[in-house]
Amino acid sequence: MKVPFSPPRIDSKITDAVVEALNSGWITTGPRTKRFESLLTKYGGHQATLCVNSGSSGLELMLRWFGVGPGDEVIVPAYTYSATANVAVHCGAKPVMVDSGTDFNISLKAIEAAITNKTKVIMPVDIAGWPCDYDEINALVKKENIRRLFRANTKEQETLGRILVLSDAAHSIGAFYKQKHTGSLTDISVYSFHAVKNLTTAEGGAVCLDLPEPFDNQSVYQYLLAKSLHGQTKDALAKVQAGGWRYDIIEPGYKYNMTDIQAAMGIAELERYDSENLVRRRQIFHRYAEAFSALSWAQLPDFETNDRTSSFHVFLLRIKKITEQQRDLIIQQIFEKDVAVNVHFVPLPMFTYYKNAGYNMDNYPVAYDNFSREISLPVYYDLTNDMVDYVVSTVKDAVNNVLTN
Ligand SMILES: *Cc1c(COP(=O)(O)O)cnc(C)c1O
């Protein structure tokens, strides 16, 4: 049996939707993108949604919207995908990396210790779909002593009057924290619809706006439409309407818009996301948990508690008391049995670029411990029970082999 890691679910619903968009006479940003935006707004329970061409561009757009630049600091977890930190680098700001907790997510204590008068944004990441403790993070940025440290340099920073919480929700669409979906848990959340994510448009992303008063999320959305399309005051569809050819450029904006072909996939996926995709992902998590829970060497991830439910993105299994080398050997043996597993993530300070930029892995002991013992198991709609059972037996064999040799 061969088990791939994360193939997208492509069936006739998706291909029909894409063909319909292609034949509609309008393939770039248009009616399907607008419809996807309003469906996402309803789904997440936030105030407005801007669809973009990737999660990374959504994150970067919002850092630039807030006016993040040279001299500023952005707090990110060391344990994440590189996009989270790179977007801060693109803006000329410094990503300040902090350690994680044993649940893989950014540590609140570490955030608090890293805040300075240069901190503009905190970017928590819902690793593998497990929501961060947002009540704690939102309370922290509102604390009087933290507010007093904040230096506002732009109109947006002045209006907010505190550190912005920009959640990297690339993994967590559909996850719950205290009965609320990710999207409405912080000032701004960004989803990714990359091919390996829970809900995919091949490439794509969405910015979920839930900014507090006196921000008007609708006007912020209108402004972001221009900012994500070269500062143009009209999109391509508005320009081709009769008499609509004149437009203005209000700033040198970016080119981050989503196409209607992508949105067509997104709409089809979202319509069955809760009823099919999440249901199957949850079953797979439970099947893994049941299979591994009795084994003394297995450490299971959190995925359902009283106040949180994961989006079941990937299953982060840890093996107790092993070294990074042993973990690598286990993965090697699993691969030899045609099962694709992965590691989420190699902490950023272990990569050449960040190492050269002065980050040192010794400062992130929990992130290292999580990484060194972690194996990500596949979770996706088309993964059958037989495949799950094969993954389980393959992992068990590999672990037993390595632990007894
Ligand atoms: C995938 C991912 C992103 C970036 O999303 P893209 O749509 O690929 O740009 C950002 N953060 C994390 C944690 C991710 O896994």
Side-chain angles (χ1 to χ4, degrees):
M1 191 183 290
K2 199 175 168 79
V3 182
F5 189 69
S6 184
R9 180 187 181 193
I10 304 296
D11 60 5
S12 62
K13 273 231 166 78
I14 300 295
T15 54
D16 288 352
V18 168
V19 168
E20 210 178 279
L22 288 170
N23 289 330
S24 72
W26 195 264
I27 57 176
T28 184
T29 315
R32 285 176 172 77
T33 305
K34 297 293 164 210
R35 169 124 196 278
F36 189 33
E37 286 177 345
S38 71
L39 290 173
L40 286 167
T41 301
K42 210 157 99 199
Y43 185 80
H46 47 277
Q47 298 301 311
T49 309
L50 178 81
C51 281
V52 286
N53 58 7
S54 75
S56 304
S57 45
L59 291 169
E60 183 166 335
L61 182 73
M62 297 323 292
L63 289 181
R64 294 195 188 272
W65 167 80
F66 199 53
V68 171
D72 292 335
E73 295 178 351
V74 176
I75 296 178
V76 302
Y79 198 94
T80 182
Y81 178 60
S82 56
T84 320
N86 286 357
V87 293
V89 176
H90 297 170
C91 297
K94 180 183 175 199
V96 174
M97 293 184 193
V98 305
D99 206 2
S100 311
T102 52
D103 70 348
F104 291 97
N105 283 343
I106 193 165
S107 145
L108 186 85
K109 273 215 177 88
I111 295 176
E112 192 161 9
I115 291 175
T116 72
N117 62 3
K118 294 177 183 165
T119 309
K120 292 292 184 288
V121 181
I122 297 170
M123 292 172 70
V125 184
D126 303 327
I127 302 286
W130 183 242
C132 297
D133 195 338
Y134 286 108
D135 278 359
E136 300 266 17
I137 296 172
N138 290 333
L140 177 66
V141 296
K142 287 175 191 158
K143 264 167 89 173
E144 204 36 51
N145 60 323
I146 305 282
R147 263 183 195 277
R148 268 203 305 272
L149 268 181
F150 185 72
R151 301 276 177 274
N153 300 327
T154 65
K155 186 170 61 73
E156 286 73 18
Q157 292 172 13
E158 220 158 86
T159 306
L160 190 64
R162 59 162 170 81
I163 297 169
L164 176 76
V165 182
L166 172 58
S167 158
D168 179 340
H171 301 176
S172 62
I173 184 169
F176 278 108
Y177 175 83
K178 301 188 177 172
Q179 278 82 49
K180 286 167 86 179
H181 268 144
T182 55
S184 59
L185 299 172
T186 61
D187 303 318
I188 302 166
S189 313
V190 176
Y191 299 141
S192 165
F193 306 133
H194 177 270
V196 303
K197 302 293 157 73
N198 276 21
L199 191 160
T200 185
T201 61
E203 294 283 356
V207 175
C208 309
L209 299 176
D210 208 34
L211 292 159
E213 287 184 348
F215 282 106
D216 172 21
N217 288 280
Q218 289 312 315
S219 0
V220 174
Y221 167 77
Q222 288 300 329
Y223 171 59
L224 292 173
L225 275 181
K227 198 174 188 68
S228 59
L229 192 66
H230 286 300
Q232 219 171 271
T233 51
K234 282 184 186 170
D235 67 14
L237 188 60
K239 274 167 58 189
V240 298
Q241 306 306 313
W245 61 275
R246 260 193 200 281
Y247 61 91
D248 195 14
I249 297 291
I250 53 171
E251 63 176 53
Y254 302 91
K255 188 63 168 66
Y256 289 163
N257 56 308
M258 176 180 274
T259 71
D260 264 24
I261 305 169
Q262 293 164 297
M265 284 183 79
I267 292 167
E269 289 255 294
L270 186 58
E271 276 169 352
R272 61 188 187 182
Y273 186 62
D274 279 358
S275 59
E276 298 181 20
N277 193 333
L278 279 186
V279 170
R280 181 62 194 145
R281 286 174 177 276
R282 180 170 179 273
Q283 287 169 349
I284 293 167
F285 262 65
H286 277 273
R287 202 170 179 93
Y288 280 138
E290 210 167 288
F292 289 115
S293 61
L295 302 171
S296 59
W297 49 258
Q299 183 180 351
L300 305 185
D302 295 328
F303 57 93
E304 271 172 339
T305 58
N306 282 339
D307 64 1
R308 278 182 256 189
T309 308
S310 175
S311 66
F312 312 105
H313 178 47
V314 278
F315 193 91
L316 306 184
L317 178 70
R318 275 167 288 185
I319 317 296
K320 290 178 189 163
K321 297 185 191 137
I322 57 165
T323 63
E324 184 184 343
Q325 289 70 25
Q326 285 175 309
R327 188 277 313 274
D328 292 356
L329 266 178
I330 293 167
I331 288 185
Q332 184 57 37
Q333 295 194 9
I334 296 171
F335 266 105
E336 282 162 11
K337 295 280 155 57
D338 270 345
V339 172
V341 292
N342 217 317
V343 174
H344 292 88
F345 290 97
V346 178
L348 302 183
M350 297 179 77
F351 290 118
T352 304
Y353 168 75
Y354 306 103
K355 234 190 273 174
N356 292 344
Y359 298 93
N360 182 345
M361 201 53 216
D362 293 346
N363 298 327
Y364 312 97
V366 182
Y368 181 76
D369 179 62
N370 289 339
F371 154 75
S372 64
R373 301 186 293 107
E374 196 269 331
I375 301 172
S376 307
L377 306 184
V379 179
Y380 48 90
Y381 183 82
D382 293 317
L383 191 72
T384 63
N385 284 347
D386 283 351
M387 289 160 98
V388 173
D389 296 345
Y390 183 61
V391 173
V392 169
S393 64
T394 306
V395 170
K396 275 190 199 172
D397 287 350
V399 171
N400 287 331
N401 260 336
V402 169
L403 291 187
T404 52
N405 278 314

